[in-house]
Amino acid sequence: MSLTQLMSQAGLWIFPAIALVLFLAVFVAVVARTFTKRSRKEGEEAAQLPLADDAPLAPAPINTSRPARTSR
Amino acid sequence: MSTAFSADARNERVGSSHEPANSGPLERFSYDDAIVRKFLVAMLVWGIVGMLVGLIIALQLALPYLPEVKGAKPLSFLYETSWLNFGRLRPLHTNAVIFAFAGNAIFAGIYYSTQRLCKARMWSDKLSSLHFWGWQAIIVSAAITLPLGITQGKEYAELEWPIDLAIAVVWLGFFGTNFLMTLVKRRERHMYVALWFYIASLVTVTILHVFNNLSLPYALAQVLSGNTPTKEGFVKSWPVYAGVQDAFMQWWYGHNAVAFFLTTPFLGLMYYFLPKAAERPVYSYRLSIVHFWSLVFMYIWAGPHHLHYTSLPAWASTLGMLFSVMLWMPSWGGMINGLLTLRGAWQKVSQDPVLKFFVIAITFYGMATFEGPMLSIKSVNSLSHYTDWTIAHVHSGALGWNGFLAFGMMYWLLPRLFQTPLWSKKLMAAHFWIGTIGMVMYVIPMYAAGITQGLMWRAFDESGSLQYNDFVQTVNAIVPFYWLRALGGTLYLAGAVFGAVNMFMTWKARPAAYEVPVHSAPALTPFYSDPPRPASRLGEGNLAIGHDADVFVQGWWHRVWERKPIKFTLLTLLAVLLASLFEMIPTFLIKSNVPTIASVKPYTPLELHGRDVYIAEGCYNCHSQMIRPIWAETKRYGEYSKGGESVYDHPFQWGSRRIGPDLAREGGIKSHDWHVRHFENPRQLIAQSIMPSYKHLLESKIDFKDTETRVRAMAMLGVPYGEMVKEGVASAYAQAQAEQIAADLVQQGGYEDMQDKKVIALTAYIQRLGIDISKPDDWDPYEKFRDRATKILAARNGEADKVASSTTKVNSGGAK
């Protein structure tokens, strides 16, 4: 009996169904936890990260005062 | 104090650890912006190249309609030159805009934002640089091989195996290692959601790429059958999957490439650069988390919606449809989150073209993610599939979402990277407007073309026969739209050129030496303790499992492991891998999914040659080989396609577009002479055809020496070739069939001396398409030329006798 025949009789179709349910369960758990009170505060802190990340010891990101290179 | 930076101070510790145990000693570091500059320039250069190729192929579909000027069609070389023709350039266009334009945009954005979000320089400058040059080398090799007809014949996975290996090394080895190690060495404990999106992209793209490209390299087949590999061995391979399975793999890949190459990384960029440009945090961080997990959990299941009404098992395509529809909600959650981030800042939007680019990008994300689920509903799909509607959908996503997000990011980055104000704000605004108009002019005509086409294909007249029986009528109707599309594309391309001018001029005004600001942050220490596990909030008298569940719902576990990059990566990997396996194992292993058909036999050796020509010329870019069980379609093309008919097709050639008619039942309908004349120049037979000319196939020769190895390669992949794999047999049969067809040709219309030309092999293949199921179970594909082949074999053996008086008589029985 080939592997294919063997597997055909093993009732594999049930696996996608189980996986689907598992996936949905984990997903619902993640969503549920995301909307707990505690995570709101954390979220607000985390949301600030991109805004706070560019402060160097001395700020000089955009330099307009220096002379541009004139000839190359 | 701003210090210009010396190399050895890149990651320098300041002072000793007198901080609390939770954070380590203060460290000084700087960011590597040189690598971001490189990727950004590459993005724009390749973007322009890719769009230009797109414009050329758009014109190829419209130009054949121009009237002749002085006895010749204007610009006809565009569709009459072998390496310029549509089937070869279309893959170049798609690969260039996806992997070169979008790819370099992603890398630029990731390298910029990851360093800042992690408060750490990229882990290794050397890897960054290897990544950059490696990726550009891959793009160049794509630009060389695709026009030469070197292709695997699977959409967006056309590149041949040596390039595929290089992609794996550069993507995972260079980029992946560098990125993940930066996360490990980061100085900011929380990983911002953008980083999650990057991780998911990194992981999933690796899996997709590896599994979809599993193939038997020709060189390996040559070695295994005892020969030394030739040059050809390194530019040709056949996927290990065939037919339904290959199709399933391919669209699992194709769809998720859209998801994890064009969606999740760009969402990461959106969640970083939009707050930056708007100078306010994202509207709801929690929504962004839900957005993330929904995409990771759902996208991976949605691929089969590309295969509705095909021979794919029904459960798989229904599953694909369900998940696609579910995807609509989180996608819109993400869109709303993006737009609401700008609440109270619309004043800014009206003044800042960067934000305008972002707003249009997010709007198009919303449109495309609404339309996608809609198109995956079977009844809509039955109209839209194979038409230009798909092209419209793709371009609203690609031009609107990916293109505009990339351009917005570019304009935000330019002054920061080149440390000088943007050269011209006016030109940036002009880019925005011309791009937007171009996009609209592209997308609307293509919707019109798609719907027109779909309706014409299924239109019946009162007598119950097809109203537009001649396929070319349905092509005629949409050529005006093709012109408008080319115009829209030109405008969009012009916008990109404005961007290039602006970039160049800004670069010219850069300072003599870039300033490299030094940052400082405490190192993270391993002694950091996560917040304690919370207590259950439930009262006494609950089961232990209830308490556990409550603790679980409080989400402490998520907070803990979302900070751990390696664990996070592994879990994402697991989610994606599991979903994929569960989805695929049944298709691969359950027999009833692909019922076999006794009368379907492997291709003859010559047809196999022809099939490789079909793949190399990229005919699948214009022709499907998959008749859906829909009345209008079986009426037009014949019996619908069965899964069992393509079990020997490595790779499958079902196609996804019908710029020309379906070819699944083309075999035997027309004479050999018709086909050769048609390939030489389709307009000799059908004046309004927009199919390219394949004159070169009437000149270039079949390499019969190859035949054996090709057949053996197929046999290695499980195609039952029987006797045919024996030394000398396959080539004798190939030659015999070629002579047979060449003789027919002389009789039918006068093409002479064609027996060793590629066009013969291609014709043999075309004449075989779809005929097997109407044959008796024990029919013999070799019948017509078996005698001729036996003679060739005998003659060869005779010669061998003379030379080396030792023979092993080869059985000429052929294969069944």
Side-chain angles (χ1 to χ4, degrees):
Chain A
M1 199 189 268
S2 76
L3 182 65
T4 315
Q5 283 169 318
L6 210 70
M7 296 305 245
S8 308
Q9 286 162 20
L12 279 184
W13 60 269
I14 192 77
F15 281 85
I18 296 174
L20 209 70
V21 173
L22 278 178
F23 260 66
L24 284 177
V26 176
F27 177 63
V28 168
V30 171
V31 172
R33 96 96 202 170
T34 306
F35 285 103
T36 54
K37 271 227 183 72
R38 178 154 178 183
S39 91
R40 163 181 278 262
K41 207 184 104 251
E42 279 185 0
E44 276 161 11
E45 284 163 24
Q48 294 295 333
L49 282 175
L51 300 176
D53 63 9
D54 229 354
L57 285 180
I62 301 179
N63 187 334
T64 46
S65 57
R66 285 218 205 163
R69 240 180 247 203
T70 41
S71 62
R72 298 233 76 224
Chain B
M1 175 205 68
S2 157
T3 35
F5 211 62
S6 66
D8 49 348
R10 281 174 184 178
N11 270 305
E12 169 194 302
R13 287 198 161 184
V14 188
S16 57
S17 56
H18 43 258
E19 283 83 7
N22 241 348
S23 53
L26 204 62
E27 292 174 338
R28 305 207 310 174
F29 52 92
S30 70
Y31 299 136
D32 180 5
D33 282 345
I35 191 71
V36 186
R37 284 189 282 269
K38 284 200 195 116
F39 274 118
L40 203 65
V41 171
M43 164 197 118
L44 197 56
V45 170
W46 291 123
I48 289 175
V49 172
M51 290 173 210
L52 193 65
V53 176
L55 186 58
I56 292 173
I57 60 175
L59 286 173
Q60 286 174 348
L61 297 185
L63 283 172
Y65 272 74
L66 289 184
E68 291 191 355
V69 182
K70 292 188 201 137
K73 298 240 178 174
L75 295 176
S76 63
F77 75 93
L78 277 179
Y79 49 94
E80 291 181 345
T81 311
S82 65
W83 57 274
L84 276 178
N85 81 44
F86 188 90
R88 295 194 192 181
L89 283 199
R90 196 250 189 183
L92 180 60
H93 165 63
T94 53
N95 278 282
V97 292
I98 298 173
F99 299 111
F101 172 59
N104 280 311
I106 294 167
F107 297 139
I110 289 183
Y111 274 80
Y112 186 87
S113 58
T114 301
Q115 301 188 70
R116 283 156 175 89
L117 287 171
C118 291
K119 295 203 170 66
R121 192 184 181 84
M122 289 311 292
W123 182 61
S124 157
D125 284 6
K126 185 155 267 141
L127 280 183
S128 304
S129 164
L130 278 173
H131 172 197
F132 176 79
W133 291 109
W135 197 255
Q136 310 316 315
I138 287 166
I139 296 169
V140 170
S141 59
I144 295 170
T145 55
L146 292 173
L148 290 175
I150 293 168
T151 167
Q152 298 191 137
K154 294 172 60 156
E155 281 180 82
Y156 325 122
E158 281 94 351
L159 300 177
E160 264 302 344
W161 66 273
I163 308 180
D164 283 340
L165 287 178
I167 292 175
V169 169
V170 172
W171 176 266
L172 190 65
F174 300 162
F175 168 55
T177 310
N178 202 12
F179 172 73
L180 287 177
M181 285 310 291
T182 310
L183 293 189
V184 170
K185 299 281 178 197
R186 73 197 189 283
R187 299 188 179 84
E188 168 60 52
R189 196 163 298 276
H190 183 85
M191 291 200 298
Y192 183 67
V193 69
L195 298 174
W196 308 7
F197 278 104
Y198 303 158
I199 294 176
S201 311
L202 172 70
V203 168
T204 316
V205 169
T206 309
I207 301 179
L208 296 170
H209 175 73
V210 169
F211 284 98
N212 189 43
N213 284 305
L214 286 181
S215 59
L216 175 65
Y218 191 13
L220 184 61
Q222 287 173 320
V223 171
L224 289 178
S225 60
N227 304 324
T228 41
T230 58
K231 246 193 312 182
E232 170 96 332
F234 293 91
V235 293
K236 177 83 197 145
S237 64
W238 297 275
V240 297
Y241 321 101
V244 174
Q245 295 170 352
D246 194 36
F248 200 55
M249 257 308 180
Q250 162 63 22
W251 287 112
W252 167 77
Y253 163 85
H255 179 75
N256 287 305
V258 171
F260 290 91
F261 205 88
L262 298 176
T263 308
T264 50
F266 279 86
L267 286 170
L269 299 182
M270 174 187 95
Y271 280 121
Y272 180 81
F273 286 99
L274 180 67
K276 279 294 225 199
E279 294 174 317
R280 57 193 58 222
V282 62
Y283 169 67
S284 164
Y285 191 71
R286 297 193 293 176
L287 195 53
S288 70
I289 295 177
V290 174
H291 188 190
F292 173 80
W293 285 115
S294 323
L295 295 196
V296 168
F297 278 122
M298 291 181 199
Y299 248 121
I300 207 82
W301 298 84
H305 68 208
H306 288 257
L307 298 167
H308 283 331
Y309 294 108
T310 65
S311 324
L312 192 75
W315 66 265
S317 92
T318 304
L319 190 74
M321 169 173 124
L322 266 175
F323 269 85
S324 310
V325 173
M326 273 157 61
L327 266 171
W328 170 64
M329 274 186 306
S331 301
W332 271 40
M335 170 188 73
I336 290 167
N337 205 2
L339 291 179
L340 284 183
T341 299
L342 296 169
R343 75 199 181 288
W346 288 98
Q347 182 62 23
K348 254 192 177 143
V349 176
S350 66
Q351 285 155 8
D352 185 358
V354 168
L355 286 178
K356 281 195 192 126
F357 272 110
F358 285 158
V359 168
I360 294 287
I362 295 167
T363 312
F364 269 85
Y365 174 65
M367 277 166 35
T369 54
F370 171 74
E371 192 186 25
M374 188 175 81
L375 289 177
S376 73
I377 296 171
K378 282 189 183 179
S379 52
V380 181
N381 193 272
S382 76
L383 176 71
S384 74
H385 196 47
Y386 295 129
T387 73
D388 280 312
W389 193 340
T390 312
I391 312 301
H393 170 59
V394 166
H395 283 83
S396 78
L399 303 178
W401 164 238
N402 299 116
F404 266 37
L405 198 82
F407 288 133
M409 179 185 87
M410 175 183 91
Y411 284 116
W412 187 84
L413 282 173
L414 281 179
R416 288 164 178 83
L417 292 176
F418 292 121
Q419 300 180 2
T420 185
L422 187 71
W423 181 64
S424 166
K425 272 203 162 163
K426 277 210 182 106
L427 197 60
M428 164 168 62
H431 179 181
F432 171 78
W433 287 112
I434 198 171
T436 307
I437 295 169
M439 219 146 57
V440 173
M441 281 199 49
Y442 187 113
V443 173
I444 291 179
M446 287 322 267
Y447 281 122
I451 293 171
T452 307
Q453 225 170 14
L455 291 176
M456 285 177 87
W457 288 346
R458 57 157 71 165
F460 286 97
D461 61 19
E462 304 88 43
S463 68
S465 41
L466 288 171
Q467 197 172 344
Y468 307 99
N469 197 26
D470 194 354
F471 188 88
V472 89
Q473 293 174 295
T474 70
V475 178
N476 285 342
I478 57 176
V479 167
F481 298 125
Y482 281 166
W483 281 114
L484 285 176
R485 180 258 296 267
L487 190 61
T490 309
L491 293 182
Y492 193 89
L493 175 61
V497 172
F498 290 178
V501 171
N502 222 341
M503 178 187 273
F504 179 73
M505 297 308 286
T506 308
W507 171 78
K508 271 187 81 174
R510 75 198 181 285
Y514 290 118
E515 198 139 322
V516 184
V518 179
H519 305 257
S520 70
L524 298 184
T525 64
F527 309 115
Y528 176 81
S529 53
D530 276 302
R533 185 183 148 103
S536 163
R537 295 163 303 186
L538 304 179
E540 297 283 323
N542 275 297
L543 291 178
I545 191 166
H547 290 292
D548 285 348
D550 183 64
V551 171
F552 177 81
V553 167
Q554 290 182 52
W556 160 84
W557 54 276
H558 190 282
R559 275 191 293 284
V560 173
W561 63 256
E562 75 190 21
R563 295 197 186 89
K564 303 201 155 96
I566 302 301
K567 271 193 200 155
F568 193 96
T569 306
L570 287 178
L571 282 166
T572 319
L573 181 74
L574 202 69
V576 169
L577 214 54
L578 273 183
S580 304
L581 285 180
F582 281 122
E583 200 181 355
M584 265 178 264
I585 286 173
T587 329
F588 277 67
L589 292 179
I590 298 183
K591 217 164 179 225
S592 63
N593 279 333
V594 188
T596 40
I597 302 171
S599 64
V600 173
K601 315 270 183 209
Y603 297 105
T604 68
L606 185 68
E607 290 156 8
L608 212 53
H609 265 295
R611 194 168 181 283
D612 283 336
V613 173
Y614 186 92
I615 292 168
E617 294 300 339
C619 311
Y620 64 89
N621 286 294
C622 283
H623 290 288
S624 59
Q625 287 187 23
M626 174 47 63
I627 303 167
R628 299 176 294 174
I630 294 173
W631 176 224
E633 223 155 274
T634 51
K635 183 102 180 153
R636 185 182 291 276
Y637 301 118
E639 178 76 21
Y640 69 89
S641 302
K642 318 280 187 297
E645 285 184 86
S646 45
V647 287
Y648 303 129
D649 272 330
H650 299 262
F652 83 116
Q653 291 289 294
W654 296 358
S656 64
R657 271 286 284 121
R658 282 185 188 147
I659 293 175
D662 190 279
L663 297 179
R665 302 257 175 261
E666 185 65 21
I669 293 179
K670 301 197 160 75
S671 67
H672 297 330
D673 182 70
W674 191 94
H675 284 299
V676 174
R677 219 162 277 284
H678 188 242
F679 290 138
E680 185 180 34
N681 183 358
R683 282 151 292 280
Q684 297 181 115
L685 297 174
I686 290 138
Q688 288 166 310
S689 177
I690 57 173
M691 176 160 146
S693 305
Y694 290 96
K695 283 197 289 277
H696 59 284
L697 295 181
L698 279 71
E699 281 145 31
S700 57
K701 294 193 175 169
I702 306 167
D703 189 356
F704 287 109
K705 284 201 298 293
D706 263 8
T707 315
E708 246 90 42
T709 331
R710 278 173 206 265
V711 171
R712 282 177 188 166
M714 286 297 126
M716 286 171 205
L717 294 173
V719 181
Y721 268 111
E723 300 279 289
M724 206 47 72
V725 299
K726 287 197 177 161
E727 195 65 37
V729 178
S731 65
Y733 273 83
Q735 218 177 316
Q737 189 178 7
E739 285 172 10
Q740 163 82 39
I741 295 176
D744 289 351
L745 266 182
V746 175
Q747 243 180 18
Q748 289 170 0
Y751 281 105
E752 278 179 19
D753 275 340
M754 295 305 241
Q755 61 279 359
D756 57 350
K757 304 297 187 304
K758 282 193 173 157
V759 74
I760 291 282
L762 183 59
T763 305
Y765 169 66
I766 295 287
Q767 295 289 30
R768 176 70 185 276
L769 290 177
I771 61 173
D772 290 23
I773 55 163
S774 52
K775 302 270 183 194
D777 282 359
D778 60 348
W779 77 290
D780 176 11
Y782 303 92
E783 192 185 313
K784 275 199 203 145
F785 46 91
R786 190 178 284 285
D787 290 346
R788 204 187 276 265
T790 319
K791 270 188 217 136
I792 295 176
L793 272 171
R796 276 196 205 156
N797 285 339
E799 266 168 47
D801 277 345
K802 275 177 231 153
V803 180
S805 67
S806 76
T807 50
T808 38
K809 264 252 148 102
V810 182
N811 185 343
S812 60
K816 283 271 172 78

